[in-house]
Amino acid sequence: MHRLLLATWLTVCLAGPGSAQQSTNPWATIPRPPYAVSAPYDVQAERQLLNLANRARAEAGVAPLEIEEGLTRAARKHSGLMAAQNQLSHELPGEPSLPQRLAAMSTLRLSAEGENVGFAASAAQVHQGFMHSPHHRENLLNPDYNLAGFAVVRSGNRVYVTEDFAQSLPRH
């Protein structure tokens, strides 16, 4: 069995309404080296992760996650940076924090967010590792989360995975 490197971060954003919409883009502060221009996203593996997550949630009696385009963009950007830098982290040097990254990519009002990151030979192996890690499993099965964005970036013989989770508030 391949050894998985996993990290987790769960945070609750207590900012008031409108905090998800910022006037400046926090991504603009990240240097734009050539490696950050594009990444080979594996859309099929991203769908596989959604299906695996929702299967686990159904078995736990939790409502399914819905894919949110902004969360997917944020997850893809993060996975692309991890793959380009060959590094596993929730916040790479010069990168905004998770709440700032999600706010920059989505117009939703979010009350909570969480993130799983990992790499392995396949998306299914990363998911298996997440399910055997208490903190990652907690993110995947958190009934408060109703939205997600999944990203899988292939780099050599491994995939870098970012799973961004959020709870959205109703729009006023």
Side-chain angles (χ1 to χ4, degrees), residues 31-45:
R32 301 207 184 274
Y35 60 75
V37 174
S38 65
Y41 307 115
D42 187 333
V43 177
Q44 184 176 359

Side-chain angles (χ1 to χ4, degrees), residues 33-125:
Y35 60 75
V37 174
S38 65
Y41 307 115
D42 187 333
V43 177
Q44 184 176 359
E46 291 171 353
R47 274 188 244 123
Q48 178 187 22
L49 286 174
L50 173 65
N51 291 336
L52 290 168
N54 280 338
R55 185 178 312 146
R57 289 172 69 89
E59 290 171 5
V62 179
L65 294 165
E66 291 183 34
I67 289 296
E68 200 280 318
E69 198 173 308
L71 299 181
T72 299
R73 283 193 305 270
R76 284 179 172 172
K77 187 158 192 164
H78 187 70
S79 281
L81 288 171
M82 288 192 307
Q85 296 180 23
N86 195 29
Q87 184 177 347
L88 186 67
S89 177
H90 286 285
E91 194 171 319
L92 295 162
E95 186 180 34
S97 68
L98 177 62
Q100 291 174 315
R101 292 191 323 253
L102 299 183
M105 296 291 179
S106 176
T107 59
L108 297 175
R109 292 180 53 228
L110 304 177
S111 61
E113 56 272 322
E115 181 174 77
N116 289 345
V117 298
F119 69 79
S122 71
Q125 288 177 341

Side-chain angles (χ1 to χ4, degrees), residues 141-159:
L141 302 181
N142 187 330
D144 292 333
Y145 295 146
N146 57 348
L147 301 174
F150 294 93
V152 177
V153 174
R154 294 198 174 278
S155 179
N157 62 352
R158 67 170 60 146
V159 294

